[in-house]
Amino acid sequence: MDAQGRGRADDVDPADQWVLNPRTGEYELRLPASAPQSPVPGPRRPTPRDSGTPSPDDGRTTGTAGAAGRTGTSGRAVPPQRQRRSAPEEPAPGRRGRRPAKKKSKGKKALLWTGGGTAFAVLVAGVGGYLYLKHLEGNVTTTDVGSAGSSSFKKDEAFNILIIGTDKRTGAGNEGYGDAGSVGHADTTILLHVSKDRSNATALSIPRDMIVDIPDCETKQEDGSTEIVPGEQDVRFNRSLGENGRDAGCAMRTVKEATGIQPHHFMMADFNAVKTLTTAVDGVDVCVEHAVDDPKSHLKLPAGESKVEGEQALAFVRTRHAFGNEGDLDRIKVQQQFLGSLMRKMSSSDTLTSPTKLVKLAEAATEALTVDSAIGNVGTLKDVALELKKVPPKNITFLTVPVVDNPTEKVKATVVANEAKAPQIFDMIINDVSFTEVKQKEKKEAAAVAARLKGEKSDPSEVRVRVLNGGAPDGSAQLELNYLQTQAGVTKSENAGNADAEVAKTTLEYAPDQADQARALAEILGLSGAAMKPGESVTNAQGMPTMTLTLGKDFKGAGVKLDAASAKPPEVDKTTADQKLCAS
């Protein structure tokens, strides 16, 4: 906390004190006479820099909200001018509070890590106040991604935000990170899915070295025209951004192509976001199993718990040589743990009850944030923040796309999606299924219907069933068959194609002498008694009697139980935002 934030600052909420000064056209923070003045934007007097003449004692600090060094006409501390342009294009004196013209991003701003988007979501709800939100909106850069995302944000639906960071170097002090010649690739990518009922969320990391097909993508040019950037097949995912003029919309289209999941919006943040966000909250708690001394990232930490901020925090999330096998997949795990810790710190009472910290956090996050045009206005950003705030940390799951080494390579450098596990992960997100247990209202069934579930059950290996698609997404019958055979032990199963007609509910038809098989399969699939239909069996190609499972429009994905709001995913590493873990 800086000097201006000491004393009684915790008794005042700056966001509630913003008023418009009709004489200057500025938004001003008015506090009681006895209250200290928080370092937030206000009117400023002209300086030599206003006329284009640099001032030798300007004393600015790039990217840090709340920095002192100048005073306005009222004697209050005023933060230094933001440096977002390469040329000294300063606004006219007295207009600091107005929102600058939105810029179209073509990779000119380096966007690295996921903290900016998440920070904004947590802190805006805490700061509140329309005028202050309007000011924050002026900090945000926007990119028009056209049809790659949604044209608006809908509060009553599930939504997916693609959080992207690049390996492009920007900002003072970042010379030791990233690729000096890079145009900005998708170095760190997390697809954040927020459930429709806001009971849970999933943060799915996408490895930068995963082989994918990049589709053709339409990009907006600075002159307002559009250009089609040709796609590529069998290339690293990180090339979906920056290369050949690809923008965030290209990365969004690549995610849809590779996973089937439609990103609705995106957020990106730069290297400095990690530094300024962690400094704004007075550091983030981390833990390492073994002492770290990495000469490449300059990260030095003792074994056990530590607090990192600024340069040290950036080194922690960027290092590849201090943990695991020194690869990108292990670095992803460490970044997920760090993000969980940052989220806990931002939502802690220590942060939320400190106006000074909230203001610093708000300025730091929005200075580094780039979003799609659909969520770039003040009202929508506020809505996104409030919706994200509803999700309990214990139900925010972090996991990574399941991958295996690329079989076409002799020297293993890239990975491909694990076809035995990844499709189920994608299906669960598409069908809005939680990776953590969430409460669900129990449905009561009539006694006769519920009785169908009671009795002896066959061993899964003795269950014989054919699977039909009666309204589920294309390919669901085969995906469910793969799950039954490889994970559920139902080896006597087959894909029978499409049903004659679509049905709303999944059903299992069976003959009376197959009731024990039906009960076993119902337990595996989470079928209710109402979904079990006593009737007749059919004969398969081998002349054996077989039950019929018809997947309806309620089908939630391969291996996902029909009677549950959450499901057990394949055997993959996953953590939740409330867990405190040590990197190893």
Side-chain angles (χ1 to χ4, degrees):
M1 183 180 295
D2 56 23
Q4 290 91 344
R6 299 184 186 278
R8 293 182 52 203
D10 290 348
D11 297 330
V12 183
D13 186 350
D16 292 335
Q17 306 297 322
W18 283 77
V19 295
L20 181 67
N21 186 331
R23 294 184 296 102
T24 65
E26 293 288 328
Y27 295 128
E28 296 183 7
L29 181 66
R30 294 185 179 176
L31 301 178
S34 60
Q37 305 302 311
S38 298
V40 294
R44 61 185 178 91
R45 57 186 172 86
T47 67
R49 197 163 187 79
D50 292 321
S51 60
T53 304
S55 174
D57 60 349
D58 201 317
R60 297 203 239 184
T61 302
T62 302
T64 304
R70 293 183 295 168
T71 56
T73 55
S74 62
R76 291 185 281 111
V78 179
Q81 189 82 14
R82 292 172 48 223
Q83 294 182 346
R84 293 181 69 86
R85 304 182 179 91
S86 57
E89 301 175 14
E90 296 293 331
R95 309 306 292 174
R96 180 69 179 90
R98 286 202 172 185
R99 179 180 177 177
K102 292 191 175 184
K103 311 170 189 133
K104 295 182 175 64
S105 172
K106 283 178 63 66
K108 293 183 179 179
K109 287 302 289 181
L111 306 160
L112 168 68
W113 198 69
T114 62
T118 305
F120 182 80
V122 174
L123 61 89
V124 168
V127 174
Y130 175 81
L131 295 180
Y132 191 63
L133 288 175
K134 195 69 177 176
H135 160 72
L136 294 179
E137 179 185 315
N139 291 346
V140 180
T141 301
T142 62
T143 297
D144 185 355
V145 296
S147 61
S150 297
S151 59
S152 62
F153 176 73
K154 300 177 181 178
K155 293 191 290 184
D156 57 348
E157 294 183 2
F159 62 91
N160 304 316
I161 297 179
L162 191 65
I163 306 174
I164 312 173
T166 75
D167 55 5
K168 184 178 181 180
R169 295 179 182 176
T170 60
N174 291 327
E175 295 81 5
Y177 301 98
D179 181 359
S182 172
V183 295
H185 297 103
D187 186 60
T188 299
T189 306
I190 292 181
L191 179 64
L192 177 66
H193 169 79
V194 181
S195 69
K196 181 176 181 178
D197 62 5
R198 309 301 186 245
S199 68
N200 65 92
T202 301
L204 179 68
S205 292
I206 302 174
R208 67 178 188 180
D209 296 326
M210 187 174 77
I211 296 299
V212 297
D213 291 340
I214 301 176
D216 296 345
C217 62
E218 183 180 275
T219 60
K220 282 278 189 180
Q221 305 302 301
E222 292 186 1
D223 61 3
S225 63
T226 59
E227 179 180 328
I228 302 297
V229 180
E232 294 184 74
Q233 286 70 49
D234 297 325
V235 296
R236 283 178 167 90
F237 175 80
N238 67 345
R239 294 176 61 183
S240 65
L241 178 70
E243 192 165 300
N244 298 325
R246 295 189 179 106
D247 62 8
C250 297
M252 295 170 73
R253 288 184 170 94
T254 303
V255 170
K256 175 66 183 301
E257 180 82 11
T259 68
I261 304 169
Q262 173 63 64
H264 301 117
H265 307 285
F266 82 87
M267 291 183 177
M268 301 194 289
D270 61 22
F271 279 121
N272 285 323
V274 181
K275 297 180 183 181
T276 55
L277 287 172
T278 53
T279 300
V281 296
D282 292 338
V284 173
D285 296 327
V286 298
C287 179
V288 294
E289 289 189 0
H290 309 287
V292 174
D293 187 355
D294 179 13
K296 293 189 175 182
S297 67
H298 308 294
L299 178 65
K300 291 185 179 181
L301 290 175
E305 296 183 357
S306 298
K307 180 182 289 187
V308 296
E309 65 178 275
E311 189 69 35
Q312 192 178 34
L314 180 57
F316 185 83
V317 299
R318 289 295 301 157
T319 182
R320 292 185 59 182
H321 304 282
F323 308 113
N325 62 6
E326 303 187 8
D328 187 55
L329 296 179
D330 286 298
R331 183 173 67 170
I332 287 175
K333 293 179 183 178
V334 173
Q335 290 176 341
Q336 291 173 347
Q337 293 171 13
F338 180 88
L339 181 55
S341 182
L342 177 60
M343 293 173 67
R344 292 193 299 272
K345 185 63 177 286
M346 289 189 299
S347 60
S348 68
S349 58
D350 180 58
T351 299
L352 296 179
T353 57
S354 170
T356 302
K357 286 184 181 180
L358 285 173
V359 168
K360 287 183 179 180
L361 198 52
E363 297 291 343
T366 54
E367 284 280 350
L369 196 64
T370 294
V371 302
D372 57 289
S373 302
I375 59 173
N377 65 76
V378 61
T380 307
L381 285 172
K382 179 186 63 128
D383 289 341
V384 173
L386 294 176
E387 294 305 305
L388 285 171
K389 189 183 178 186
K390 295 177 182 178
V391 183
K394 67 178 181 179
N395 288 336
I396 301 176
T397 302
F398 293 98
L399 71 163
T400 304
V401 174
V403 294
V404 296
D405 288 333
N406 188 345
T408 65
E409 295 177 334
K410 291 184 178 180
V411 178
K412 304 303 181 184
T414 61
V415 294
V416 296
N418 185 335
E419 292 302 326
K421 297 180 178 180
Q424 185 182 344
I425 298 291
F426 302 153
D427 282 348
M428 289 177 66
I429 293 175
I430 292 171
N431 290 284
D432 200 24
V433 179
S434 175
F435 287 83
T436 58
E437 292 186 6
V438 294
K439 294 181 178 180
Q440 184 187 40
K441 295 180 180 179
E442 297 183 358
K443 296 180 180 180
K444 296 182 179 179
E445 296 183 280
V449 173
R452 298 172 186 168
L453 298 171
K454 298 177 181 179
E456 294 185 2
K457 301 180 182 68
S458 298
D459 185 90
S461 63
E462 298 302 319
V463 173
R464 185 177 285 106
V465 63
R466 63 177 191 148
V467 183
L468 294 172
N469 189 335
D474 291 344
S476 294
Q478 185 60 45
L479 290 173
E480 185 72 340
L481 180 66
N482 293 343
Y483 166 75
L484 290 174
Q485 293 184 343
T486 62
Q487 298 190 49
V490 183
T491 55
K492 297 177 180 178
S493 50
E494 60 187 88
N495 184 350
N498 293 328
D500 294 334
E502 292 188 354
V503 294
K505 301 290 186 180
T506 297
T507 60
L508 175 62
E509 185 175 359
Y510 59 97
D513 60 352
Q514 295 173 316
D516 52 349
Q517 294 184 43
R519 286 189 286 268
L521 190 60
E523 183 177 58
I524 293 171
L525 302 180
L527 297 177
S528 64
M532 300 174 67
K533 303 295 184 183
E536 299 180 352
S537 63
V538 297
T539 302
N540 63 11
Q542 290 74 39
M544 302 297 294
T546 305
M547 299 185 296
T548 300
L549 174 67
T550 304
L551 306 179
K553 294 180 180 179
D554 63 338
F555 179 70
K556 298 180 179 181
V560 181
K561 292 193 174 184
L562 271 297
D563 63 349
S566 58
K568 183 180 179 181
E571 292 300 323
V572 295
D573 291 334
K574 63 185 182 73
T575 60
T576 53
D578 65 325
Q579 291 180 290
K580 298 180 180 180
L581 303 172
C582 290
S584 60

